[in-house]
C-alpha cells in the first residue's frame, strides 16, 4: 500500500471536500418524482462546473457519473428512468478527480416518511461508519476498522455485506489495502502516517448475502431486504486521523 506525503494529502483534502460538496448537492435534489437519471445529470453538471472529472464514468465500463441504489439495492445502482418514491431510502455514491486526485463518498438518505426499521438501519449504519473512523487510528490495524463496522451492525441485528468494502485512495480510486466490512481485531495491515482510506460500510436488514441484477452492476440483497451504504475518506497525518470528506 502506498503512503502519501503531507503535500499529497493536501490534494486529497481538496478532492475529498469537493466529493462531499457534490454529494450534498445531489442529495438536495432527492425527492419523490425525481428520476435517478435526473440526479446523474445534476452530478455531471456540477462536476463540469467545478473543473473536476467523473471518477465512475467508464470505470470498467460503468455507464454513468454516480451510483444511485434504492431500498434493496446495495451499491452500484445505475441511474435511469426509475423515479424515487416517498418512503424510499436512497444510497448515493459519488466520485470525482480534481487535478488528478480522487474523491469518493456516499450516504443513504430517507425520502419522506420511512418505516421505523429503515430509520434504525440508517442510524446504525452511520454509527458503524463513525466507529470505523474512530478505529482508523495510528497503531491500529485494518481488522480493527472492519471489526468496528461488523460489531456495531450485528449488535443491532443487521448484517454487513461480505464481498464489498472500502479501499485505499489517491491518484487511483481503488488502491490497496482492501478494507472489508467484517474482520477480526488486531489483524491486517498497520495503520500509519500517510495512509489514506475510503472507508465504506454496507449494511443489510435481512441477510448478508447479495445477488446481481442482469445489468451486471446493481448489487441487491438476496432476500430483497433494505440496505444502506455510507462512505467517508480519512487520512492519517502526524499520528492523527483526519476526515477528508467534509464540506467547507
Ligand atoms: N464508488 C464506488 C466505491 O465506493 C465505486 C463505484 S465504481 C462504479 O468504491 F463503476 F460502479 F461506479
Ligand atoms: Co464510493
Ligand atoms: Co469507494
Amino acid at each position: 500500500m502506498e503512503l502519501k506525503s503531507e503535500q499529497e494529502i493536501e490534494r486529497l483534502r481538496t478532492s475529498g471536500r469537493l466529493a462531499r460538496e457534490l454529494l450534498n448537492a445531489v442529495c438536495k435534489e432527492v425527492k419523490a418524482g425525481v428520476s435517478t437519471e435526473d440526479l446523474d445529470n445534476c452530478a455531471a453538471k456540477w462536476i463540469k462546473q467545478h473543473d473536476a472529472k467523473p471518477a465512475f464514468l467508464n470505470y470498467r465500463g460503468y455507464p454513468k457519473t454516480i451510483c444511485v441504489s434504492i431500498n434493496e439495492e446495495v451499491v452500484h445502482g445505475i441511474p435511469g428512468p426509475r423515479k424515487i418514491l416517498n418512503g424510499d431510502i436512497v444510497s448515493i455514491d459519488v466520485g470525482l478527480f480534481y487535478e488528478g486526485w480522487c474523491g469518493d463518498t456516499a450516504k443513504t438518505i430517507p425520502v419522506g416518511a420511512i418505516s421505523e426499521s429503515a430509520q434504525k438501519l440508517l442510524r446504525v449504519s452511520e454509527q458503524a461508519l463513525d466507529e470505523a473512523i474512530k478505529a482508523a487510528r495510528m497503531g491500529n490495524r485494518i481488522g480493527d476498522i472492519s471489526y468496528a463496522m461488523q460489531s456495531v451492525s450485528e449488535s443491532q441485528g443487521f448484517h454487513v455485506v461480505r464481498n464489498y468494502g472500502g479501499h485505499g485512495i489517491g491518484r487511483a480510486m481503488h488502491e490497496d489495502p482492501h478494507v472489508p466490512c467484517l474482520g477480526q481485531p488486531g489483524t491486517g495491515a498497520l495503520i500509519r502516517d500517510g495512509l489514506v482510506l475510503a472507508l465504506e460500510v454496507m449494511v443489510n436488514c435481512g441477510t448478508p448475502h447479495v445477488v446481481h441484477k442482469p445489468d451486471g452492476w446493481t448489487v441487491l440483497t438476496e432476500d430483497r431486504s433494505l440496505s444502506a451504504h455510507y462512505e467517508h475518506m480519512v487520512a492519517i497525518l502526524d499520528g492523527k486521523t483526519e476526515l477528508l470528506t467534509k464540506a467547507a
Side-chain angles (χ1 to χ4, degrees):
M1 63 198 201
E2 185 192 288
L3 300 174
K4 273 82 181 174
S5 68
E6 198 173 337
Q7 289 75 15
E8 292 172 322
I9 289 174
E10 174 56 26
R11 317 275 281 178
L12 285 158
R13 212 176 260 136
T14 304
S15 58
R17 173 177 53 77
L18 281 170
R20 198 65 186 184
E21 288 173 359
L22 166 60
L23 180 62
N24 291 345
V26 173
C27 285
K28 264 200 197 149
E29 301 300 312
V30 174
K31 49 183 173 285
V34 168
S35 75
T36 56
E37 212 155 45
D38 294 336
L39 301 177
D40 199 78
N41 291 334
C42 161
K45 198 169 139 199
W46 194 100
I47 288 172
K48 215 174 245 153
Q49 280 170 350
H50 290 79
D51 299 314
K53 298 214 157 39
F56 302 173
L57 185 66
N58 299 324
Y59 176 83
R60 300 187 178 188
Y62 187 74
K64 294 285 182 179
T65 296
I66 62 173
C67 299
V68 183
S69 309
I70 301 176
N71 296 336
E72 71 283 0
E73 296 174 350
V74 179
V75 286
H76 302 165
I78 303 175
R82 178 171 178 180
K83 284 189 165 64
I84 289 164
L85 303 173
N86 274 321
D88 283 346
I89 59 170
V90 182
S91 301
I92 314 248
D93 190 348
V94 306
L96 52 73
F97 288 100
Y98 186 73
E99 293 179 349
W101 294 85
C102 193
D104 182 15
T105 185
K107 66 177 164 183
T108 303
I109 59 171
V111 185
I114 61 169
S115 69
E116 208 127 309
S117 57
Q119 289 175 41
K120 182 180 171 192
L121 175 68
L122 301 198
R123 202 168 57 235
V124 170
S125 310
E126 203 168 8
Q127 192 197 338
L129 183 57
D130 285 347
E131 291 303 318
I133 291 169
K134 286 185 202 155
R137 61 165 189 267
M138 188 83 159
N140 265 2
R141 291 178 181 273
I142 296 295
D144 295 302
I145 301 176
S146 303
Y147 178 74
M149 296 187 202
Q150 181 179 16
S151 54
V152 169
S153 305
E154 292 183 352
S155 72
Q156 298 299 316
F158 297 127
H159 308 271
V160 286
V161 170
R162 267 54 186 162
N163 8 12
Y164 295 88
H167 46 92
I169 185 166
R171 285 186 169 277
M173 176 162 62
H174 292 151
E175 298 184 355
D176 284 341
H178 177 61
V179 187
C181 302
L182 76 171
Q184 292 304 315
T187 64
L190 254 184
I191 295 164
R192 49 186 189 272
D193 268 344
L195 186 60
V196 180
L197 299 170
L199 298 178
E200 305 191 36
V201 65
M202 282 139 273
V203 184
N204 298 349
C205 277
T207 166
H209 302 298
V210 299
V211 293
H212 283 88
K213 261 195 178 170
D215 67 23
W217 279 102
T218 313
V219 180
L220 307 168
T221 55
E222 189 183 57
D223 62 358
R224 306 300 192 268
S225 65
L226 295 178
S227 184
H229 178 211
Y230 290 83
E231 176 175 25
H232 267 304
M233 289 165 58
V234 297
I236 318 301
L237 182 62
D238 295 330
K240 290 196 270 301
T241 303
E242 182 183 330
L243 184 67
L244 298 184
T245 34
K246 48 180 193 263

